[in-house]
Every structure is written in C-alpha cells, then in structure tokens.
Amino acid sequence: MASQQKSPAGQTVAVPVAPPVDGLQAGLQYLSVVDQLLVHQQIECAELLSGCEFQNKYLMKNTMGQVVYYATEDSEFCDRQCCGPSRPFLMHINDGSGAEVFTLRRPLKCMWTCCYCCLQEITVEASGIMLGIVRQRHTAFPFSPLKLEICDPQGQVQLVLKAPCCPCACCADVPFPYFSVD
C-alpha cells in the first residue's frame, strides 16, 4: 500500500504505508516491515563547482526504489569546511509528508581511531526520546575496516556493523553486513 505525497523538492512520490505497530511512532512503523534501506546522497551542482562543503541531503529508498524518507543535514558552515567528515551535525529524517520521524545527532570528534576519546558516535532520537546510539568500535590497527556498534538507549550493544575494507564504490551499492553480539 502507498500514498501519494509531495517531496521536499515538490515532486509527487508514492510513499509506502506500513500497518500500525503498537507503541511505535507512525513514521517509524515502516522500518518494522523492511529488511533494507538504500541511502542515496543528493549531489549539489554548486558544491561540485565551488569546492565548498554544503549541508548534505539524502533520499532513503526501499528495495523497489520507492522513497521512504528524506534526510537533511543541519550543520555550521565553518564546521563543514574545517572539520570535513568529522564535523558535528544534526540530521533530520522526514517522511514523505515532511513530518520529522527521527533525528541523528553527532558531536564533534576527531578521526584518530587510536584514541578511545576520539571514536565517533551518533545518537538516534525520536520526539525527544533517545532510541539508541551508534558507536565506532575501537580496532587494534588504525587501518582496520570500520566496525560500528548499534546500542539500545542504555548503551548495551545489540548489533555490530562491519564496513568493507573500501567503503566506497562508484555507482554501486556498498553493503554493510550486520551481526548479532553473540
């Protein structure tokens, strides 16, 4: 089932609708019925031409290519230019109607993985309530593949994501397999 809604860019898109799930916010219900989301960054021509970092925007799609969520970055100009991928940000995740479903909040941390105090983390919140934390796991070797811990609101690890050795691919999907902590 899908409903027709306007995207933030003004396009009409078919947004999949999930059945209600008790205790789950309306916008999060769709996550209970999907096994995969594809995240596509929207590239700004002005960013390519100027060389300046702009606030990122993403489309989150299901496996059928239907747009499920829109993500927009909220960050400071100086942070984007000086801190690059280590910058602090607030990412707003909205559904097709424009309603905010959840936010991702990342503080400023440096990229030195050899130091425990520098490991990246993102807090996931919905309606002001913390849903969980995604934390970078310390690795013994600086150039080891990235590992991320998906934690509940109390900080208990629920899943581990393992990034590929080269987490980028030109015009191709990059899988991030996940594993239980057992």
Side-chain angles (χ1 to χ4, degrees), residues 18 38 50 88 125:
L38 304 172
S50 69
E125 302 170 358

Side-chain angles (χ1 to χ4, degrees), residues 67-110:
V67 176
V68 180
Y69 299 112
Y70 300 90
T72 54
E73 177 183 343
D74 183 4
S75 61
E76 296 296 324
F77 178 81
C78 288
D79 289 337
R80 290 191 306 275
Q81 307 320 310
C82 298
C83 301
S86 300
R87 67 180 171 263
F89 64 79
L90 183 65
M91 186 74 66
H92 302 278
I93 314 297
N94 299 342
D95 64 14
S97 70
E100 187 167 278
V101 178
F102 60 96
T103 57
L104 306 174
R105 183 180 311 275
R106 185 171 93 174
L108 176 64
K109 301 257 183 142
C110 71

Side-chain angles (χ1 to χ4, degrees), residues 3-84:
S3 68
Q4 296 288 322
Q5 298 178 347
K6 290 275 189 193
S7 74
Q11 304 165 336
T12 301
V13 294
V15 178
V17 177
V21 177
D22 287 340
L24 199 55
Q25 177 180 322
L28 292 173
Q29 292 175 352
Y30 186 72
L31 294 176
S32 69
V33 296
V34 295
D35 61 350
Q36 178 176 335
L37 282 179
L38 304 172
V39 181
H40 299 276
Q41 183 176 359
Q42 296 179 291
I43 306 298
E44 298 277 343
C45 290
E47 184 173 2
L48 293 174
L49 296 173
S50 69
C52 288
E53 273 286 327
F54 284 47
Q55 294 184 33
N56 291 317
K57 296 177 185 175
Y58 302 89
L59 295 176
M60 300 170 126
K61 300 177 181 182
N62 62 18
T63 53
M64 296 180 292
Q66 296 172 309
V67 176
V68 180
Y69 299 112
Y70 300 90
T72 54
E73 177 183 343
D74 183 4
S75 61
E76 296 296 324
F77 178 81
C78 288
D79 289 337
R80 290 191 306 275
Q81 307 320 310
C82 298
C83 301

Side-chain angles (χ1 to χ4, degrees), residues 153-165:
Q154 291 74 38
Q156 299 299 311
V157 178
Q158 302 298 307
L159 293 171
V160 176
L161 290 176
K162 294 182 180 179
C165 291

Side-chain angles (χ1 to χ4, degrees), residues 104-105 119-124 132-137 147-152 161:
L104 306 174
R105 183 180 311 275
L119 299 176
Q120 300 295 318
E121 67 178 36
I122 294 179
T123 304
V124 182
I133 303 168
V134 180
R135 287 191 302 233
Q136 182 180 3
R137 181 186 275 184
K147 291 182 183 177
L148 300 172
E149 298 174 334
I150 311 299
C151 304
D152 63 17
L161 290 176

